Amino acid sequence: MTTLSPEIERLAKLVGAHTGKTAEEVLREAVEAQARIAGVDDPERRRPSAAIDLERVREITRRVTALPLLDTRAPRDIRDEAWSRG
């Protein structure tokens, strides 16, 4: 087993306290996510994904696109305001 640095252990506990998970769960999920990104995850352990109901997706899309546009700013302006650190 690998010995974790105090900083990694502290961060894992901090995230765990915020999410209601144990430090071990936090670290396992982080390593699993990195394994998927790197393409080295174990396909045998993947959770089966639910089938996508395309008709439901289409219906939701129709309802959302029928809603009135309340913010007439350009998408870039909205994004810039949302991500500003002011």
Side-chain angles (χ1 to χ4, degrees), residues 1-77:
M1 185 64 179
T2 302
T3 302
L4 300 175
S5 71
E7 178 65 5
I8 298 298
E9 193 170 334
R10 183 187 72 77
L11 287 171
K13 287 178 180 178
L14 185 64
V15 172
H18 184 72
T19 61
K21 297 177 181 177
T22 66
E24 182 177 348
E25 290 170 322
V26 169
L27 292 170
R28 185 190 72 247
E29 289 174 6
V31 172
E32 286 173 349
Q34 288 298 309
R36 281 191 302 277
I37 290 168
V40 296
D41 62 325
D42 183 1
E44 298 279 325
R45 295 193 61 195
R46 288 187 193 155
R47 294 181 208 134
S49 59
I52 296 173
D53 182 350
L54 289 178
E55 191 49 45
R56 176 136 168 78
V57 171
R58 288 184 187 106
E59 175 57 29
I60 292 169
T61 303
R62 281 190 290 271
R63 284 188 303 169
V64 169
T65 57
L67 295 172
L69 180 62
L70 300 177
D71 193 336
T72 58
R73 294 177 295 165
R76 175 180 229 141
D77 295 337

